[in-house]
Amino acid sequence: MAIDTLYQEIQTEIAKYPDRRSAILAALRLAQTKYRWLSPEAFEEVARCIDLPVAQCQAVASFYDMYFLAPVGRHVVEVCTNVSCCLVGAPDVVAAFERELGCALGETSTDGAVTLRAVECLGGCGWAPVVSVDHRYLEHFQPGDAAQVVADLRAAPAEEH
Amino acid sequence: MSTTATNVVTVTFDGRDVQVPAGTPLVVAAAQVGVEIPVFCYEPRLGPPIGACRMCLVEVELGGRPMPKLQAACTMTAADGMVVKSAATSEQAKEGQDAVLEFLLLNHPLDCPVCDKGGECPLQDLTFRYGPATSRMTLAKRTYEKPLPISPSIVLDRERCILCYRCTRFSSDVAEDGELIARERGAQSVIATFEERPYVGAFSGNVTELCPVGALLPTPYRFKARPWEIVNVPTVCQGCPTGCNTWATVREGRAERILSRLNPAVDEGWLCDRGRFARHEPLADRLTRPLLRGADGLQEISFAAAARTIAQRLRHVDSLHGAGSVAIVTGGSLTNEEASAWGRIAADVHARTASGPVAAAGAWERLDPFAARIDDLDRADVVVVVGDADVTDRAGVLDLRIRAARRRGAHLMIVSSGGTLLERDCDTFRPVAAGTAAASLQALVADPGPLVGATHPVLIVTDPIDLGHVAAAAHALGLQERGGVLPLPTGPNERGARQAGLAGGGDEVLAAIESGAVRALVLLGVDPTADWPEADRWQAALAQTEHVVTLSPFVNTSVSWSHVVLPQAVDLEREGTTTNLEGRRQRLRAAVKPPSGVADLAVATAIATHLGIEIARTAPQESEPPPRAKPGRATKAPAIRAANVTAGRFALVAPRGLFTGPAVERTAALAHQRAPWVMLNHGDAAALGLSEHDRVTVRHGGGEHTGPLRTSRRLLEGTVRINWAGSPVAGEAEVVRA
């Protein structure tokens, strides 16, 4: 049964820590892998599996950029818009992606292929601007690179998150 | 914390020396020498300080070297030789404090004139006393949708919130319900509930008192009063036998709000939502005049006539039918003084009496050799809770104290059929079949688990079982020499009524009525057809009794079977004392007048006078719980009847919850706390093809209960748990999809 797979996986994570609360990030990641995004129902399932109040699961998830609190497309493009990336052109990168995808920041292209998000520091300040495509970094990203990335993603199969 | 000479340190605040134990937060040490350091987030009852608001910035010098930055005096702890300068003497600290206040006010609407917190608001007070007179903020302030109800009893104004996290810390670290959270991050952070669902939790209202600004306010008090128009009357909650101390906020003769009133030995300044929000309103529903049944039904009569009639009938029945033909029954809602007057009346007319539903479960003196006080939980190294009912159902804030004991390191052991509130984070969970608390106690004696070697264990039995079982187990576990048992009476002043001469159980009285021995029944503030088990039998018993006298605040089933009815005053309307579960006598003060205008004690005294009894007026006296009684001989536990559940049916767990009773039912602000639910074991639900939130009906002896399904992995298989709000039921039930 699908539910019990997630339950078992989360129990495995809980066993790694002295306190089950510590497994909350891993549990949320497992649920996101299963459902692609963290819906209210997914939060409730995680809360039952880890035996914590559901609001606590949402509180943690909403703090981090790595959890999707709304449905996402088959691929996710994340542009760092923190200080270092911003200084070397991140706003132009965002604009280029918006143009190529025909959707605004935070939205998914109408064909459902790509979700465009702005994220906090990806830890790549030395190689700014940084773009993360399905969790793989593209460094020193130039606005002109966006067209090729979008074309490739539209042709590629869905990625796990 | 040890205070031996070795770890006492000397700290200087603004030139004044103070000696405190090492590790004392600077804000606390400073207060001891009269140096005030303003705070918003610091609240020791919420656990370790978190330094969120930065209001308490001070300049600190240690070992002759100034610390490079201002320090938060809540998280910085005292160390020997520390020299601390508050904003009163340090220009740098003053500048820091001004900056923090200016920052906290950046997005704060400063709408004090229309804010209910205005006049009682730490942010307003501290801004006035310490803050800059002007702001450099010229941009538009951030706005949010407001007011946002986070439940029918609490409204949230996110614009006013300064994100001190007191409320979320209460929810996650004190009540441990985890319902109130900070969502998002940084400047986007907002206080929220999951998916904007109502904050359901027995203690949610405490966040409205913890909030140091006007962000979380009690809905029923919105726009009701300004602080200069109100009088706060100190009294004691009569919602359960804990006896939490409260302030009743009165404006123009109406009690508009209930606040907690710190009594460290009883409530630690917490109050449950029943105590805070349940009101005996609307006043239009209240009985205000005595009623006498005549040819045309119940007709209003004067208090004098009612007192005379009652006295005559009781005297008449007693002299005609002899001892035991009158029964005087209370549910523990009388004051000690009223109970004493009625106790004298009962003795005079040779009445049978009852102070609670079940005689054997109300003989609290059997626990006297093991009596624990509420604050024994603070010293407990092991806390054992036995029974299917939640502690919250029986004595609200005791639940918080047990949680605090567990966080402090006490071993928490739960013995129940599962699905209770305390078991999620307990150290030992011992699952037992539903309704087997008595057998579980015997099993506990045979296998005491964490009680072996415990020096101060506290035992709590939440199910209303024969106290012979509890006394026998307590004796066998040696609780007369270590720790003790906390009794959980059914009614708020059940102990007081018992001591005043109204001892006995409703079950005995019911049997006597059915045998035809009782000809007159006096119901003092209890409706056995709603509050007690065997509702159907009680209703038949009322129907067959010649004279039924009822004292009640509202019309209820018992009133409709009565021949004489007296209006009853409720907790906020009465003077006197009440005895809580540990035997502490506390003072009740009338915050408002009863709608009848006549005190219940005056009516009882008038009845007594007609009977020739003189009730002397005595000043209400408060007192500490009595000292523990001398250990008696070992008692033999009563026999235990095994309960068997028919195949295909479920063992029913339906304890009478905290949010039940006529006042709660009439309080809109508590409707969400009473929303019905049904709990099944995870596997049982799957076997029935039911999943979470499916609507499920449970059919049982008391009727039907329908609600969304909750699944639990700890609730024992073959058990169904419901929050049935009717008269207490147990036994077995059928579970079907609604």
Side-chain angles (χ1 to χ4, degrees):
Chain A
M1 216 159 54
I3 277 182
D4 284 344
T5 318
L6 183 61
Y7 178 78
Q8 289 309 333
E9 286 171 350
I10 289 177
Q11 300 316 303
T12 307
E13 291 297 329
I14 292 172
K16 295 178 184 171
Y17 304 96
D19 180 350
R20 66 183 190 284
R21 185 181 290 266
S22 308
I24 201 162
L25 289 175
L28 291 165
R29 178 175 47 74
L30 288 165
Q32 180 160 299
T33 304
K34 181 175 173 186
Y35 297 111
R36 295 188 58 79
W37 70 287
L38 294 172
S39 63
E41 293 74 24
F43 277 124
E44 290 193 313
E45 191 178 336
V46 169
R48 281 199 298 278
C49 293
I50 200 169
D51 205 6
L52 287 173
V54 63
Q56 300 287 305
C57 299
Q58 194 185 45
V60 170
S62 70
F63 184 89
Y64 294 99
D65 272 334
M66 296 81 91
Y67 298 108
F68 304 145
L69 305 182
V72 290
R74 296 195 301 279
H75 304 279
V76 177
V77 169
E78 292 168 314
V79 184
C80 172
T81 52
N82 264 180
V83 176
S84 303
C85 291
C86 217
L87 288 173
V88 291
D92 298 335
V93 174
V94 169
F97 274 112
E98 285 181 330
R99 201 164 50 243
E100 293 300 329
L101 292 167
C103 71
L105 200 59
E107 293 177 357
T108 302
S109 57
T110 47
D111 59 357
V114 181
T115 296
L116 178 64
R117 306 173 79 221
V119 292
E120 304 297 342
C121 186
L122 290 170
C125 306
W127 303 273
V130 179
V131 171
S132 163
V133 175
D134 293 332
H135 304 310
R136 278 183 287 275
Y137 283 12
L138 303 176
E139 294 152 359
H140 297 301
F141 201 91
Q142 295 306 307
D145 305 337
Q148 188 58 47
V149 168
V150 168
D152 291 350
L153 287 177
R154 283 195 158 126
E159 280 288 324
E160 265 195 6
H161 295 301
Chain B
M1 193 184 296
S2 157
T3 50
T4 52
T6 48
N7 60 13
V8 167
V9 296
T10 304
V11 184
T12 310
F13 289 96
D14 294 346
R16 281 176 260 183
D17 285 356
V18 62
Q19 284 171 342
V20 290
T24 306
L26 292 184
V27 281
V28 175
Q32 293 182 12
V33 281
V35 171
E36 188 191 336
I37 299 172
V39 295
F40 289 117
C41 70
Y42 181 73
E43 168 52 86
R45 292 183 299 156
L46 299 176
I50 60 165
C53 73
R54 317 309 293 175
M55 187 61 206
C56 60
L57 291 178
V58 289
E59 205 182 321
V60 179
E61 201 180 292
L62 186 58
R65 290 172 53 207
M67 289 188 166
K69 290 196 290 187
L70 294 176
Q71 300 294 320
C74 63
T75 50
M76 175 67 56
T77 54
D80 207 30
M82 233 178 210
V83 178
V84 181
K85 288 183 191 164
S86 78
T89 57
S90 157
E91 200 47 48
Q92 205 191 343
K94 173 70 184 150
E95 196 182 314
Q97 208 162 67
D98 280 358
V100 168
L101 265 174
E102 190 180 12
F103 178 71
L104 291 176
L105 294 172
L106 273 188
N107 280 303
H108 186 87
L110 285 167
D111 56 346
C112 312
V114 296
C115 176
D116 282 300
K117 197 81 172 184
E120 300 177 330
C121 177
L123 181 63
Q124 190 184 32
D125 294 347
L126 294 182
T127 301
F128 186 71
R129 283 165 58 192
Y130 299 103
T134 55
S135 168
R136 289 169 291 164
M137 173 78 166
T138 52
L139 304 170
K141 296 197 179 210
R142 182 182 57 194
T143 58
Y144 286 111
E145 184 193 337
K146 69 182 218 179
L148 201 64
I150 61 163
S151 80
S153 43
I154 304 169
V155 280
L156 169 63
D157 184 324
R158 286 175 174 159
E159 294 173 1
R160 293 179 187 152
C161 175
I162 60 167
L163 291 172
C164 69
Y165 301 108
R166 276 187 175 196
C167 55
T168 56
R169 288 164 71 204
F170 174 80
S171 174
S172 66
D173 303 343
V174 178
E176 298 181 351
D177 55 42
E179 292 244 341
L180 204 58
I181 53 167
R183 210 162 55 198
E184 301 296 333
R185 178 184 60 230
Q188 270 84 44
S189 298
V190 288
I191 301 303
T193 55
F194 178 70
E195 295 296 304
E196 319 298 341
R197 288 182 196 165
Y199 180 179
V200 178
F203 307 102
S204 68
N206 288 294
V207 301
T208 62
E209 280 190 64
L210 288 166
C211 184
V213 302
L216 289 164
L217 293 167
T219 311
Y221 190 60
R222 283 191 88 217
F223 309 134
K224 289 285 191 209
R226 304 303 310 191
W228 58 87
E229 307 173 311
I230 61 174
V231 177
N232 285 324
V233 180
T235 185
V236 172
C237 179
Q238 289 288 275
C240 84
T242 311
C244 295
N245 295 198
T246 55
W247 292 110
T249 297
V250 180
R251 176 182 181 271
E252 294 188 351
R254 259 182 65 92
E256 300 285 6
R257 174 179 71 173
I258 307 293
L259 297 173
S260 66
R261 179 165 62 91
L262 174 68
N263 183 339
V266 177
D267 52 45
E268 295 182 301
W270 306 127
L271 187 62
C272 76
D273 283 9
R274 176 179 177 155
R276 186 181 303 275
F277 296 117
R279 305 302 298 282
H280 290 80
E281 288 178 349
L283 289 178
D285 271 16
R286 292 282 300 275
L287 289 165
T288 54
R289 303 281 299 162
L291 304 171
L292 177 69
R293 188 172 299 279
D296 303 321
L298 289 169
Q299 300 291 328
E300 286 191 3
I301 52 167
S302 71
F303 277 96
R308 193 171 56 242
T309 308
I310 293 167
Q312 279 168 354
R313 290 190 181 181
L314 296 185
R315 174 71 80 217
H316 171 76
V317 167
D318 176 45
S319 47
L320 198 62
H321 302 285
S325 55
V326 173
I328 298 183
V329 172
T330 171
S333 67
L334 304 182
T335 65
N336 287 323
E337 294 70 20
E338 291 157 15
S340 169
W342 280 104
R344 301 268 311 270
I345 295 169
D348 190 72
V349 298
H350 312 100
R352 297 166 197 272
T353 56
S355 55
V358 182
W364 299 110
E365 61 280 358
R366 299 196 69 166
L367 301 185
D368 284 352
F370 321 98
R373 294 164 45 134
I374 290 173
D375 59 9
D376 273 306
L377 286 168
D378 303 350
R379 296 185 289 281
D381 54 353
V382 177
V383 179
V384 182
V385 180
V386 178
D388 295 326
D390 278 307
V391 172
T392 318
D393 292 339
R394 305 295 306 279
V397 300
L398 231 50
D399 171 277
L400 299 181
R401 204 133 186 163
I402 294 169
R403 291 175 193 275
R406 193 209 70 233
R407 287 194 301 272
R408 177 178 50 73
H411 187 109
L412 176 60
M413 178 179 188
I414 305 290
V415 183
S416 81
S417 57
T420 62
L421 294 167
L422 278 167
E423 75 207 27
R424 195 180 66 206
D425 291 297
C426 73
D427 301 283
T428 305
F429 174 54
R430 199 178 270 186
V432 296
T436 60
S440 310
L441 283 170
Q442 282 189 0
L444 186 69
V445 171
D447 174 15
L451 287 169
V452 176
T455 56
H456 203 85
V458 173
L459 174 66
I460 297 172
V461 180
T462 60
D463 289 347
I465 58 168
D466 187 332
L467 292 173
H469 295 294
V470 183
H475 199 280
L477 290 166
L479 298 188
Q480 63 274 48
E481 277 112 34
R482 52 170 190 163
V485 183
L486 260 181
L488 293 180
T490 315
N493 194 24
E494 191 181 314
R495 286 194 72 147
R498 200 174 166 81
Q499 286 159 3
L502 297 173
D507 51 347
E508 294 170 342
V509 171
L510 179 60
I513 297 173
E514 288 173 338
S515 75
V518 174
R519 304 300 181 103
L521 173 64
V522 182
L523 296 171
L524 301 173
V526 63
D527 178 8
T529 67
D531 304 337
W532 286 356
E534 311 287 357
D536 293 345
R537 279 176 63 199
W538 269 108
Q539 195 152 329
L542 292 179
Q544 75 170 73
T545 305
E546 273 169 55
H547 302 283
V548 180
V549 177
T550 300
L551 174 73
S552 171
F554 295 111
V555 172
N556 56 32
T557 307
S558 294
V559 166
S560 60
W561 286 105
S562 296
H563 305 92
V564 188
V565 179
L566 291 172
Q568 187 182 21
V570 297
D571 42 6
L572 297 177
E573 302 162 356
R574 293 190 298 185
E575 287 287 334
T577 58
T578 180
T579 304
N580 82 344
L581 58 89
E582 51 181 353
R584 182 187 302 275
R585 284 170 75 102
Q586 301 188 100
R587 184 84 158 79
L588 292 167
R589 285 186 181 80
V592 295
K593 285 200 179 79
S596 68
V598 177
D600 293 1
L601 182 57
V603 182
T605 305
I607 296 169
T609 305
H610 283 295
L611 291 168
I613 310 163
E614 193 183 327
I615 307 276
R617 285 183 67 115
T618 49
Q621 291 288 325
E622 297 202 321
S623 66
E624 287 281 300
R628 178 176 286 196
K630 291 240 158 43
R633 284 183 299 128
T635 52
K636 197 166 172 297
I640 294 170
R641 281 178 302 160
N644 288 314
V645 179
T646 319
R649 290 168 73 87
F650 286 80
L652 175 68
V653 178
R656 189 168 163 84
L658 179 67
F659 294 105
T660 49
V664 175
E665 282 161 23
R666 285 173 169 82
T667 305
L670 291 175
H672 64 297
Q673 304 276 15
R674 297 160 38 79
W677 46 259
V678 174
M679 191 188 286
L680 283 177
N681 173 274
H682 172 77
D684 285 344
L688 289 168
L690 298 167
S691 42
E692 195 85 6
H693 303 310
D694 282 355
R695 284 186 68 75
V696 175
T697 295
V698 177
R699 296 200 186 101
H700 55 75
E704 244 185 40
H705 178 90
T706 299
L709 179 68
R710 297 177 176 187
T711 61
S712 161
R713 287 175 198 269
R714 276 184 302 267
L715 179 64
L716 216 61
E717 286 180 11
T719 308
V720 60
R721 192 179 175 91
I722 59 175
N723 62 336
W724 167 252
S727 66
V729 287
E732 45 180 68
E734 188 188 358
V735 177
V736 294
R737 185 185 290 275

